[in-house]
Amino acid sequence: MFDNFPLWPDRASTAAGNVDALFIFLLIVCGLMTLLIFATLIYFAARYRHRRGVLAEQIEGSIPLEVTWSIIPLFVFMVIFAWGAVVYFKSRTPPRDATEVYVVAKQWMWKLEHAEGQREINELHVPVGRDVKLIMTSQDVIHSFFVPAFRMKQDVLPGRYTVAWFRATKSGTYHLFCAEYCGTQHSGMLGSIVVQEPAQYEAWMNGGTTGPLSATGEKIFAELGCVTCHRTDTQGRGPTLQGVFGKPVLLEDGRTVAADENYVRESILDPGAKVVKGFKPVMPTFQGLVSEEQLNALVAYVKSQSQPTGPGTKTSATAAPQNEGKPAGSQVQ
Ligand code: CUA
């Protein structure tokens, strides 16, 4: 209905319709409220205008009136709250079997690396109809990954990962903006999201790669000597990393934390922060020794150690669906 309305950007993701519907609802509520206020204002101004010899009569208040104008807005606000919460949680929760792309922002460019190994700058190729999870961090200051056509915006922070996801519904090229002021060339920190049909995407994917990101990570893991302590058996000085990712980890101080991307990242940069139960804080920090890209590769490697089928199983858009009861992108199209 609004597809040709130039005030709205393209709708190219599954989230776009939901966000717009909520936005239009808010617009209508605000519009009606404004009309009501102005109409009443004008009516009262005319009806109770100053007349010679007529004095205003003091009214002490009206319980029914006050209850009405409290209950009705309360109801409207609760609708907005519930609706907003549903849209928000949906947009904040990446589907479990999403394709993963690591994003490193810096002044002033976007560096993107697919889990399959493809690297891109200021451009991200994705297939139509597939969930894509972005694992993002910044090399310097705060940036923000904003794709209006996907109704998706997420701050990208130095020192930790933030996550966002989308599922593109329409092939085409869409704007990627940095939406957080990050220095003199902030306005030039632009990119594009290239959404392709699965076959096209497959062809693009096969056009030269350095191998899966997890394989790069495995190499770094060996080079840095991590493998001497984090062995695959239980004899190492560090905990084994097999099957750790995504599971709860019991710590030396009694806490239990989830082994997510941020946990792995912190354990590499600040190993003393969360020591696994039964181990000593002997691991040195790798702060300053590994770049953001290498960190991402290491995270991808640790992650791959928890996939029963091993690394590199989700290598293409048309790979057989191995997700639990959810159709893969290639089947949707
Ligand atoms: Cu990066 Cu603004």
Side-chain angles (χ1 to χ4, degrees), residues 227-275:
V227 70
T228 53
C229 294
H230 295 287
R231 292 162 45 168
T232 48
D233 55 33
T234 49
Q235 308 304 309
R237 273 182 297 169
T240 173
L241 302 178
Q242 233 81 20
V244 165
F245 193 87
K247 302 271 156 42
V249 177
L250 185 60
L251 301 183
E252 194 58 17
D253 59 14
R255 284 182 298 164
T256 303
V257 295
D260 58 6
E261 286 94 357
N262 272 316
Y263 169 74
V264 178
R265 178 193 178 88
E266 183 186 52
S267 298
I268 296 169
L269 299 180
D270 185 10
K274 297 193 173 89
V275 179

Side-chain angles (χ1 to χ4, degrees), residues 15 19 85-94 151-152 163-165:
V19 172
V86 169
V87 171
Y88 177 78
F89 284 118
K90 224 185 255 174
S91 75
R92 297 305 309 158
T93 319
R151 309 293 188 275
M152 193 208 87
V163 163
W165 79 278

